[in-house]
Amino acid sequence: MPEDEVVITPYRDGPLLVRGPFTLQDQDGNAIEVGRKTVALCRCGKSRMRPFCDGTHKVIRFKAPSTLEDGRESPASARFQRDDDART
Ligand code: FES
């Protein structure tokens, strides 16, 4: 993996692991300090320190695959809402 590449890995039944030179910010553009090059972002929605994972996904037995859900569109054909549209 090149040093300047950001890689996001959805872990089976767990968080999104983000590795690389990323910047994390809230929807208003305010920086969220991370202080490291690898971070686990909550995917289950139940962490008490969102947006970070605190391990609660194990307690609630969160289930999600590491790959696309069966029957879902691939990202190449899925429609994504533009960032600007989300703020209005
Ligand atoms: S994914 Fe770990 S607490 Fe939500």
Side-chain angles (χ1 to χ4, degrees):
M1 176 177 110
E3 265 186 46
D4 61 344
E5 184 179 12
V6 176
V7 176
I8 303 172
T9 307
Y11 270 73
R12 182 183 313 110
D13 306 336
L16 298 171
L17 211 66
V18 183
R19 297 181 181 101
F22 62 87
T23 300
L24 187 62
Q25 62 183 32
D26 66 20
Q27 67 182 32
D28 296 323
N30 302 307
I32 298 174
E33 287 300 321
V34 176
R36 48 195 152 128
K37 286 187 172 181
T38 300
V39 67
L41 297 178
C42 178
R43 184 159 69 128
C44 74
K46 298 297 183 186
S47 171
R48 284 163 285 175
M49 50 184 284
R50 286 179 295 204
F52 304 107
C53 170
D54 69 356
T56 300
H57 61 269
K58 293 178 187 169
V59 176
I60 65 168
R61 298 182 180 182
F62 174 69
K63 295 290 178 200
S66 181
T67 60
L68 289 173
E69 300 268 0
D70 288 344
R72 297 279 174 109
E73 293 181 39
S74 72
S77 60
R79 295 181 59 207
F80 292 98
Q81 189 175 24
R82 288 187 44 198
D83 207 32
D84 294 343
D85 296 340
R87 292 181 188 172
T88 57

Coordinates of all heavy atoms in Angstrom, one line a residue:
M1 N 0.9 -1.2 0.0 CA 0.0 0.0 0.0 C 0.9 1.2 0.0 O 1.7 1.4 0.9 CB -0.9 0.0 1.3 CG -1.7 1.2 1.5 SD -2.8 1.1 2.9 CE -2.1 2.3 3.9
P2 N 0.7 2.1 -1.0 CA 1.5 3.4 -1.0 C 1.2 4.2 0.3 O 0.1 4.2 0.8 CB 1.0 4.1 -2.2 CG 0.3 3.0 -3.1 CD -0.2 2.0 -2.1
E3 N 2.2 4.9 0.8 CA 2.1 5.7 2.0 C 1.0 6.8 1.9 O 0.5 7.2 2.9 CB 3.4 6.4 2.3 CG 4.2 5.6 3.3 CD 5.5 6.3 3.8 OE1 5.4 7.5 4.1 OE2 6.5 5.7 3.8
D4 N 0.8 7.3 0.7 CA -0.2 8.4 0.6 C -1.6 7.9 0.2 O -2.5 8.7 0.0 CB 0.2 9.4 -0.5 CG 0.4 8.8 -1.8 OD1 0.4 7.5 -1.9 OD2 0.5 9.5 -2.8
E5 N -1.8 6.6 0.3 CA -3.1 6.0 0.0 C -3.9 5.8 1.2 O -3.4 5.3 2.3 CB -2.9 4.7 -0.7 CG -4.2 4.0 -1.2 CD -4.0 2.7 -1.9 OE1 -2.8 2.2 -1.9 OE2 -4.9 2.3 -2.6
V6 N -5.2 6.1 1.2 CA -6.1 5.8 2.3 C -6.9 4.6 1.9 O -7.5 4.5 0.8 CB -7.1 7.0 2.5 CG1 -8.1 6.7 3.6 CG2 -6.4 8.3 2.8
V7 N -7.0 3.7 2.8 CA -7.7 2.4 2.6 C -8.7 2.3 3.7 O -8.4 2.4 4.9 CB -6.8 1.2 2.7 CG1 -7.6 -0.1 2.5 CG2 -5.7 1.3 1.5
I8 N -10.0 2.0 3.3 CA -11.1 1.9 4.3 C -11.6 0.4 4.2 O -12.0 0.0 3.1 CB -12.2 2.8 4.0 CG1 -11.7 4.3 4.1 CG2 -13.4 2.6 5.0 CD1 -12.7 5.3 3.6
T9 N -11.5 -0.3 5.3 CA -11.9 -1.7 5.3 C -13.1 -1.9 6.2 O -13.0 -1.7 7.4 CB -10.7 -2.6 5.8 OG1 -9.6 -2.3 5.0 CG2 -11.1 -4.0 5.7
P10 N -14.3 -2.3 5.7 CA -15.4 -2.7 6.6 C -15.1 -4.1 7.1 O -15.0 -5.1 6.4 CB -16.6 -2.7 5.6 CG -16.0 -2.8 4.2 CD -14.6 -2.4 4.3
Y11 N -14.9 -4.1 8.5 CA -14.7 -5.4 9.1 C -16.0 -6.2 9.3 O -17.0 -5.6 9.7 CB -13.9 -5.3 10.4 CG -12.4 -5.3 10.2 CD1 -11.8 -4.2 9.6 CD2 -11.7 -6.4 10.5 CE1 -10.4 -4.3 9.3 CE2 -10.3 -6.4 10.3 CZ -9.7 -5.4 9.7 OH -8.3 -5.4 9.4
R12 N -15.9 -7.5 9.1 CA -17.1 -8.3 9.3 C -17.6 -8.1 10.7 O -16.9 -8.2 11.7 CB -16.8 -9.8 9.0 CG -18.0 -10.7 9.1 CD -17.7 -12.1 8.9 NE -16.9 -12.4 7.8 CZ -15.6 -12.8 7.8 NH1 -15.0 -13.0 8.9 NH2 -14.9 -12.9 6.7
D13 N -18.9 -7.8 10.8 CA -19.6 -7.6 12.1 C -18.9 -6.5 13.0 O -19.0 -6.5 14.2 CB -19.6 -8.9 12.9 CG -20.3 -10.0 12.1 OD1 -21.0 -9.7 11.2 OD2 -19.9 -11.2 12.4
G14 N -18.2 -5.6 12.4 CA -17.5 -4.6 13.2 C -17.3 -3.3 12.5 O -18.1 -2.9 11.6
P15 N -16.3 -2.5 12.8 CA -16.2 -1.1 12.4 C -15.6 -1.0 11.0 O -15.2 -2.0 10.3 CB -15.2 -0.5 13.4 CG -14.3 -1.7 13.7 CD -15.3 -2.9 13.8
L16 N -15.5 0.3 10.5 CA -14.8 0.6 9.3 C -13.4 1.0 9.8 O -13.2 1.9 10.5 CB -15.4 1.8 8.6 CG -16.9 1.6 8.1 CD1 -17.4 2.9 7.6 CD2 -16.9 0.6 7.0
L17 N -12.4 0.3 9.3 CA -11.0 0.6 9.7 C -10.5 1.5 8.6 O -10.5 1.1 7.4 CB -10.2 -0.6 9.8 CG -9.1 -0.5 10.8 CD1 -9.6 -0.4 12.2 CD2 -8.1 -1.7 10.8
V18 N -10.0 2.7 9.0 CA -9.5 3.7 8.0 C -8.0 3.8 8.3 O -7.5 4.0 9.4 CB -10.1 5.0 8.2 CG1 -9.6 6.0 7.2 CG2 -11.6 4.9 8.1
R19 N -7.2 3.5 7.2 CA -5.7 3.6 7.3 C -5.2 4.5 6.3 O -5.6 4.5 5.1 CB -5.1 2.2 7.0 CG -5.5 1.1 8.0 CD -4.8 -0.2 7.5 NE -5.1 -1.3 8.4 CZ -5.9 -2.2 8.1 NH1 -6.6 -2.2 6.9 NH2 -6.2 -3.2 8.9
G20 N -4.2 5.4 6.7 CA -3.6 6.2 5.7 C -3.7 7.7 6.2 O -4.1 8.0 7.3
P21 N -3.2 8.6 5.3 CA -3.2 10.0 5.6 C -4.5 10.7 5.4 O -4.7 11.6 4.6 CB -2.1 10.5 4.6 CG -2.3 9.7 3.4 CD -2.7 8.3 4.0
F22 N -5.5 10.4 6.2 CA -6.9 10.9 6.1 C -7.1 12.1 7.0 O -6.3 12.3 8.0 CB -7.9 9.9 6.4 CG -7.9 9.3 7.8 CD1 -8.5 10.0 8.8 CD2 -7.1 8.2 8.1 CE1 -8.5 9.5 10.1 CE2 -7.0 7.8 9.4 CZ -7.7 8.4 10.4
T23 N -8.1 12.9 6.7 CA -8.6 13.9 7.6 C -10.0 13.6 8.0 O -10.8 13.3 7.1 CB -8.6 15.3 6.9 OG1 -7.2 15.6 6.5 CG2 -9.1 16.4 7.8
L24 N -10.3 13.7 9.3 CA -11.7 13.4 9.7 C -12.3 14.7 10.2 O -11.7 15.5 10.9 CB -11.7 12.4 10.9 CG -13.0 11.9 11.4 CD1 -13.8 11.1 10.3 CD2 -12.8 11.0 12.6
Q25 N -13.5 15.0 9.7 CA -14.2 16.2 10.0 C -15.7 16.0 10.1 O -16.2 15.1 9.5 CB -13.9 17.4 9.0 CG -14.4 17.1 7.6 CD -14.0 18.2 6.6 OE1 -13.0 18.8 6.8 NE2 -14.8 18.4 5.6
D26 N -16.4 16.9 10.9 CA -17.8 16.8 11.0 C -18.5 17.4 9.8 O -17.8 17.9 8.9 CB -18.4 17.4 12.3 CG -18.2 18.9 12.4 OD1 -18.0 19.5 11.4 OD2 -18.2 19.4 13.5
Q27 N -19.8 17.3 9.7 CA -20.4 17.8 8.5 C -20.3 19.3 8.3 O -20.6 19.8 7.2 CB -21.9 17.4 8.4 CG -22.8 18.0 9.5 CD -24.2 17.5 9.4 OE1 -24.4 16.3 9.0 NE2 -25.1 18.3 9.8
D28 N -19.9 20.0 9.3 CA -19.7 21.5 9.2 C -18.3 21.8 8.8 O -17.9 23.0 8.8 CB -20.1 22.2 10.5 CG -21.6 22.0 10.8 OD1 -22.4 22.1 9.8 OD2 -22.0 21.9 12.0
G29 N -17.5 20.8 8.7 CA -16.1 21.0 8.3 C -15.1 21.2 9.4 O -13.9 21.5 9.2
N30 N -15.6 21.0 10.7 CA -14.7 21.1 11.8 C -13.9 19.8 12.0 O -14.5 18.7 11.9 CB -15.6 21.3 13.1 CG -16.4 22.6 13.0 OD1 -15.9 23.7 12.7 ND2 -17.7 22.4 13.2
A31 N -12.6 20.0 12.2 CA -11.7 18.8 12.3 C -12.1 18.0 13.6 O -12.4 18.6 14.6 CB -10.3 19.3 12.4
I32 N -12.0 16.7 13.4 CA -12.1 15.8 14.6 C -10.7 15.2 14.7 O -10.3 14.5 13.8 CB -13.2 14.7 14.3 CG1 -14.6 15.3 14.1 CG2 -13.2 13.7 15.4 CD1 -15.6 14.4 13.7
E33 N -10.1 15.5 15.8 CA -8.7 15.1 16.1 C -8.7 13.6 16.3 O -9.4 13.0 17.0 CB -8.2 15.8 17.3 CG -7.8 17.2 17.1 CD -6.8 17.5 16.0 OE1 -5.9 16.7 15.8 OE2 -7.0 18.4 15.2
V34 N -7.8 13.0 15.6 CA -7.6 11.6 15.6 C -6.2 11.2 16.2 O -6.1 10.4 17.1 CB -7.7 10.9 14.2 CG1 -7.4 9.4 14.3 CG2 -9.1 11.2 13.7
G35 N -5.2 11.9 15.7 CA -3.8 11.7 16.3 C -3.1 10.4 15.9 O -2.1 10.1 16.5
R36 N -3.6 9.7 14.9 CA -2.9 8.5 14.4 C -3.4 8.2 13.0 O -4.3 8.8 12.5 CB -3.2 7.4 15.3 CG -4.7 7.2 15.7 CD -4.8 6.2 16.8 NE -6.0 6.5 17.6 CZ -6.9 5.6 17.9 NH1 -6.8 4.4 17.5 NH2 -8.0 6.0 18.5
K37 N -2.7 7.3 12.4 CA -2.9 7.0 11.0 C -3.9 5.9 10.8 O -4.3 5.6 9.6 CB -1.6 6.6 10.3 CG -0.7 7.8 10.1 CD 0.5 7.4 9.2 CE 1.3 8.6 8.8 NZ 2.5 8.2 8.0
T38 N -4.3 5.2 11.8 CA -5.4 4.2 11.7 C -6.4 4.4 12.8 O -6.1 4.7 13.9 CB -4.7 2.8 11.9 OG1 -3.7 2.6 11.0 CG2 -5.8 1.7 11.8
V39 N -7.7 4.4 12.3 CA -8.8 4.6 13.2 C -9.9 3.7 12.9 O -10.1 3.3 11.7 CB -9.2 6.1 13.2 CG1 -9.9 6.4 11.9 CG2 -10.2 6.4 14.3
A40 N -10.7 3.2 13.9 CA -11.9 2.4 13.7 C -13.1 3.3 13.8 O -13.3 3.9 14.9 CB -11.9 1.2 14.6
L41 N -13.9 3.4 12.8 CA -15.2 4.2 12.8 C -16.3 3.3 13.0 O -16.5 2.2 12.4 CB -15.3 5.0 11.5 CG -14.3 6.0 11.2 CD1 -14.5 6.7 9.8 CD2 -14.2 7.0 12.3
C42 N -17.2 3.7 13.9 CA -18.4 2.9 14.3 C -19.3 2.7 13.1 O -19.6 3.7 12.4 CB -19.2 3.5 15.4 SG -20.7 2.7 15.9
R43 N -19.7 1.5 12.9 CA -20.6 1.2 11.8 C -22.0 0.7 12.3 O -23.0 0.6 11.6 CB -20.0 0.1 10.9 CG -20.7 -0.3 9.6 CD -19.8 -0.9 8.6 NE -19.3 -2.2 8.9 CZ -19.4 -3.3 8.2 NH1 -20.0 -3.2 7.0 NH2 -18.9 -4.4 8.6
C44 N -22.0 0.3 13.6 CA -23.2 -0.2 14.1 C -24.1 0.9 14.7 O -25.3 0.6 14.9 CB -22.9 -1.2 15.2 SG -22.3 -0.5 16.8
G45 N -23.6 2.0 15.0 CA -24.4 3.1 15.5 C -24.6 3.2 17.0 O -25.3 4.0 17.5
K46 N -24.0 2.3 17.7 CA -24.3 2.1 19.1 C -23.1 2.5 20.0 O -23.2 2.5 21.2 CB -24.7 0.7 19.5 CG -26.0 0.3 18.8 CD -27.1 1.1 19.3 CE -28.4 0.6 18.6 NZ -29.5 1.5 18.9
S47 N -22.0 2.9 19.4 CA -20.8 3.3 20.2 C -21.1 4.5 21.0 O -21.9 5.4 20.6 CB -19.6 3.7 19.2 OG -18.6 4.3 20.0
R48 N -20.5 4.6 22.2 CA -20.7 5.8 23.1 C -19.6 6.8 22.8 O -19.6 7.9 23.5 CB -20.7 5.3 24.5 CG -22.0 4.7 24.9 CD -21.9 3.9 26.2 NE -21.1 2.7 25.8 CZ -20.7 1.8 26.7 NH1 -20.9 2.0 28.0 NH2 -20.0 0.7 26.3
M49 N -18.8 6.6 21.9 CA -17.8 7.6 21.5 C -17.7 7.8 20.0 O -16.7 7.9 19.3 CB -16.4 7.2 22.0 CG -16.0 5.8 21.7 SD -14.4 5.4 22.5 CE -13.2 6.2 21.4
R50 N -19.0 7.8 19.4 CA -19.1 8.0 17.9 C -18.4 9.3 17.5 O -18.5 10.3 18.3 CB -20.5 8.0 17.5 CG -21.1 6.7 17.5 CD -22.6 6.7 17.1 NE -23.3 7.4 18.1 CZ -24.6 7.3 18.4 NH1 -25.3 6.5 17.7 NH2 -25.2 8.0 19.3
P51 N -17.7 9.4 16.4 CA -17.8 8.4 15.3 C -16.9 7.2 15.5 O -16.8 6.4 14.6 CB -17.4 9.2 14.1 CG -16.4 10.2 14.7 CD -16.9 10.6 16.0
F52 N -16.2 7.1 16.6 CA -15.2 6.0 16.8 C -15.9 4.8 17.4 O -16.9 4.9 18.1 CB -14.1 6.5 17.7 CG -13.4 7.7 17.2 CD1 -13.6 8.9 17.9 CD2 -12.6 7.7 16.1 CE1 -13.0 10.1 17.4 CE2 -12.0 8.8 15.6 CZ -12.2 10.0 16.3
C53 N -15.3 3.6 17.0 CA -15.8 2.4 17.6 C -15.3 2.2 19.0 O -14.1 2.5 19.3 CB -15.3 1.2 16.7 SG -15.5 -0.4 17.3
D54 N -16.1 1.7 19.9 CA -15.7 1.5 21.3 C -15.9 0.0 21.6 O -15.8 -0.4 22.8 CB -16.4 2.3 22.3 CG -17.9 2.0 22.4 OD1 -18.4 1.2 21.7 OD2 -18.5 2.6 23.3
G55 N -16.2 -0.8 20.6 CA -16.3 -2.3 20.9 C -17.8 -2.7 21.2 O -18.0 -3.9 21.3
T56 N -18.7 -1.8 21.3 CA -20.1 -2.1 21.6 C -20.7 -3.0 20.5 O -21.6 -3.8 20.9 CB -20.9 -0.8 21.7 OG1 -20.4 0.0 22.8 CG2 -22.4 -1.1 22.0
H57 N -20.2 -3.0 19.3 CA -20.7 -3.9 18.3 C -20.7 -5.3 18.7 O -21.6 -6.1 18.3 CB -20.0 -3.7 16.9 CG -18.5 -4.0 17.0 ND1 -17.6 -3.0 17.3 CD2 -17.9 -5.1 16.8 CE1 -16.4 -3.6 17.3 NE2 -16.5 -4.9 17.0
K58 N -19.7 -5.7 19.5 CA -19.6 -7.1 20.0 C -20.8 -7.4 21.0 O -21.4 -8.5 20.9 CB -18.3 -7.4 20.6 CG -17.1 -7.3 19.7 CD -15.8 -7.5 20.4 CE -14.7 -7.3 19.4 NZ -13.4 -7.3 20.1
V59 N -21.0 -6.4 21.8 CA -22.1 -6.6 22.9 C -23.4 -6.8 22.2 O -24.2 -7.6 22.7 CB -22.1 -5.4 23.9 CG1 -23.2 -5.5 24.9 CG2 -20.7 -5.3 24.6
I60 N -23.7 -6.0 21.2 CA -25.0 -6.0 20.6 C -25.1 -7.0 19.5 O -26.1 -7.2 18.8 CB -25.4 -4.6 20.1 CG1 -24.5 -4.2 18.9 CG2 -25.5 -3.6 21.2 CD1 -25.0 -3.0 18.2
R61 N -24.0 -7.7 19.2 CA -23.9 -8.7 18.2 C -24.3 -8.2 16.8 O -25.1 -8.8 16.1 CB -24.8 -9.9 18.5 CG -24.3 -10.6 19.8 CD -25.1 -11.8 20.2 NE -24.6 -12.3 21.4 CZ -25.1 -13.4 22.0 NH1 -26.1 -14.1 21.4 NH2 -24.6 -13.9 23.1
F62 N -23.7 -7.0 16.5 CA -23.9 -6.4 15.2 C -23.4 -7.3 14.1 O -22.4 -8.0 14.2 CB -23.1 -5.1 15.1 CG -23.1 -4.4 13.8 CD1 -24.2 -3.8 13.3 CD2 -21.9 -4.4 13.1 CE1 -24.2 -3.2 12.1 CE2 -21.9 -3.7 11.8 CZ -23.0 -3.1 11.4
K63 N -24.2 -7.4 13.1 CA -23.9 -8.3 11.9 C -23.9 -7.5 10.6 O -24.8 -6.8 10.3 CB -25.0 -9.4 11.8 CG -25.0 -10.4 12.9 CD -23.8 -11.2 12.9 CE -23.8 -12.2 14.1 NZ -22.5 -12.7 14.4
A64 N -22.8 -7.6 9.9 CA -22.7 -7.0 8.6 C -21.5 -7.7 7.9 O -20.5 -8.0 8.6 CB -22.4 -5.5 8.7
P65 N -21.6 -7.9 6.6 CA -20.5 -8.5 5.9 C -19.3 -7.6 5.7 O -19.5 -6.3 5.8 CB -21.1 -8.9 4.6 CG -22.2 -7.9 4.4 CD -22.7 -7.6 5.7
S66 N -18.2 -8.1 5.3 CA -17.0 -7.3 5.0 C -17.1 -6.8 3.5 O -16.5 -5.9 3.1 CB -15.7 -8.1 5.2 OG -14.6 -7.3 4.8
T67 N -18.0 -7.5 2.7 CA -18.1 -7.1 1.3 C -19.5 -6.5 1.1 O -20.2 -6.3 2.1 CB -18.0 -8.4 0.5 OG1 -19.0 -9.3 0.9 CG2 -16.6 -9.0 0.6
L68 N -19.9 -6.4 -0.1 CA -21.3 -5.9 -0.4 C -22.3 -6.8 0.1 O -22.1 -8.0 0.0 CB -21.4 -5.7 -1.9 CG -20.7 -4.6 -2.6 CD1 -20.8 -4.7 -4.1 CD2 -21.2 -3.2 -2.1
E69 N -23.5 -6.3 0.6 CA -24.6 -7.1 0.9 C -25.1 -7.8 -0.3 O -25.0 -7.2 -1.4 CB -25.7 -6.3 1.5 CG -25.3 -5.5 2.7 CD -25.6 -6.2 4.0 OE1 -26.1 -7.4 4.0 OE2 -25.4 -5.7 5.1
D70 N -25.6 -9.0 -0.2 CA -26.2 -9.7 -1.4 C -27.3 -8.9 -2.0 O -28.1 -8.3 -1.3 CB -26.8 -11.1 -1.0 CG -25.7 -12.0 -0.6 OD1 -24.5 -11.8 -1.0 OD2 -26.0 -13.0 0.0
G71 N -27.3 -8.8 -3.3 CA -28.3 -8.1 -4.0 C -28.2 -6.6 -4.1 O -29.0 -5.9 -4.7
R72 N -27.2 -6.0 -3.5 CA -27.0 -4.6 -3.5 C -26.2 -4.2 -4.8 O -25.5 -5.0 -5.4 CB -26.1 -4.1 -2.3 CG -26.8 -4.4 -1.0 CD -27.8 -3.3 -0.7 NE -28.6 -3.5 0.5 CZ -28.4 -2.9 1.6 NH1 -27.6 -1.9 1.7 NH2 -29.2 -3.2 2.7
E73 N -26.4 -2.9 -5.2 CA -25.7 -2.4 -6.3 C -24.3 -2.2 -6.0 O -23.9 -2.0 -4.8 CB -26.2 -1.0 -6.7 CG -27.6 -1.0 -7.2 CD -28.1 0.5 -7.5 OE1 -27.2 1.2 -8.1 OE2 -29.2 0.8 -7.2
S74 N -23.4 -2.4 -7.0 CA -22.0 -2.1 -6.8 C -21.8 -0.6 -6.6 O -22.6 0.2 -7.2 CB -21.1 -2.6 -7.9 OG -21.3 -1.9 -9.0
P75 N -20.7 -0.1 -6.0 CA -20.5 1.3 -5.8 C -20.4 2.0 -7.1 O -20.8 3.2 -7.3 CB -19.2 1.4 -5.0 CG -19.1 0.1 -4.3 CD -19.8 -0.9 -5.2
A76 N -19.9 1.3 -8.2 CA -19.8 2.0 -9.5 C -21.1 2.4 -10.1 O -21.2 3.4 -10.8 CB -19.0 1.1 -10.4
S77 N -22.2 1.7 -9.8 CA -23.5 2.0 -10.3 C -24.4 2.6 -9.3 O -25.5 3.1 -9.7 CB -24.1 0.7 -10.9 OG -24.3 -0.2 -9.9
A78 N -24.0 2.7 -8.1 CA -24.9 3.2 -7.1 C -24.9 4.8 -7.2 O -24.0 5.4 -7.6 CB -24.4 2.9 -5.7
R79 N -26.0 5.4 -6.8 CA -26.1 6.8 -6.9 C -25.8 7.3 -5.5 O -26.3 6.9 -4.5 CB -27.6 7.2 -7.2 CG -27.9 6.8 -8.6 CD -29.3 7.3 -9.0 NE -29.4 8.8 -8.9 CZ -30.5 9.4 -8.6 NH1 -31.6 8.8 -8.4 NH2 -30.5 10.7 -8.6
F80 N -24.9 8.3 -5.5 CA -24.4 8.9 -4.2 C -24.9 10.3 -4.2 O -24.9 11.0 -5.2 CB -22.9 8.8 -4.1 CG -22.4 7.4 -3.9 CD1 -21.9 6.7 -4.9 CD2 -22.5 6.9 -2.6 CE1 -21.5 5.4 -4.8 CE2 -22.0 5.6 -2.4 CZ -21.5 4.9 -3.5
Q81 N -25.3 10.8 -3.0 CA -25.7 12.2 -2.8 C -24.5 13.0 -2.7 O -23.6 12.7 -2.0 CB -26.6 12.3 -1.6 CG -27.2 13.6 -1.4 CD -28.1 13.6 -0.2 OE1 -27.9 12.9 0.7 NE2 -29.1 14.5 -0.2
R82 N -24.4 14.1 -3.4 CA -23.3 15.0 -3.3 C -23.2 15.6 -2.0 O -24.2 15.9 -1.3 CB -23.4 16.1 -4.4 CG -23.1 15.6 -5.8 CD -23.0 16.7 -6.8 NE -22.2 17.8 -6.2 CZ -22.2 19.0 -6.6 NH1 -23.0 19.3 -7.6 NH2 -21.5 20.0 -6.1
D83 N -22.0 15.9 -1.5 CA -21.8 16.5 -0.2 C -22.6 17.8 -0.1 O -23.2 18.1 0.9 CB -20.3 16.8 -0.1 CG -19.9 16.8 1.4 OD1 -20.4 16.0 2.2 OD2 -18.9 17.6 1.7
D84 N -22.6 18.6 -1.1 CA -23.3 19.9 -1.1 C -24.8 19.7 -0.9 O -25.5 20.4 -0.2 CB -23.1 20.7 -2.4 CG -21.7 21.1 -2.6 OD1 -20.9 21.1 -1.6 OD2 -21.3 21.5 -3.7
D85 N -25.4 18.6 -1.5 CA -26.8 18.4 -1.4 C -27.1 18.0 0.0 O -28.2 18.3 0.5 CB -27.2 17.2 -2.3 CG -27.0 17.6 -3.8 OD1 -26.9 18.8 -4.1 OD2 -26.9 16.7 -4.6
A86 N -26.2 17.3 0.7 CA -26.5 16.8 2.1 C -26.6 17.9 3.1 O -27.2 17.7 4.1 CB -25.4 15.8 2.5
R87 N -26.0 19.0 2.8 CA -26.0 20.1 3.8 C -27.2 21.0 3.7 O -27.4 21.9 4.5 CB -24.7 21.0 3.6 CG -23.5 20.2 3.9 CD -22.3 21.1 3.8 NE -21.1 20.2 3.9 CZ -19.9 20.6 3.7 NH1 -19.7 21.8 3.3 NH2 -18.9 19.8 3.9
T88 N -28.0 20.9 2.6 CA -29.1 21.8 2.4 C -30.4 21.2 3.0 O -30.5 20.1 3.4 CB -29.4 22.0 0.9 OG1 -29.6 20.8 0.3 CG2 -28.2 22.8 0.4
Ligands
FES1 S1 -18.9 -0.7 15.1 FE1 -17.8 -0.9 17.0 S2 -19.1 0.1 18.4 FE2 -20.1 0.4 16.5

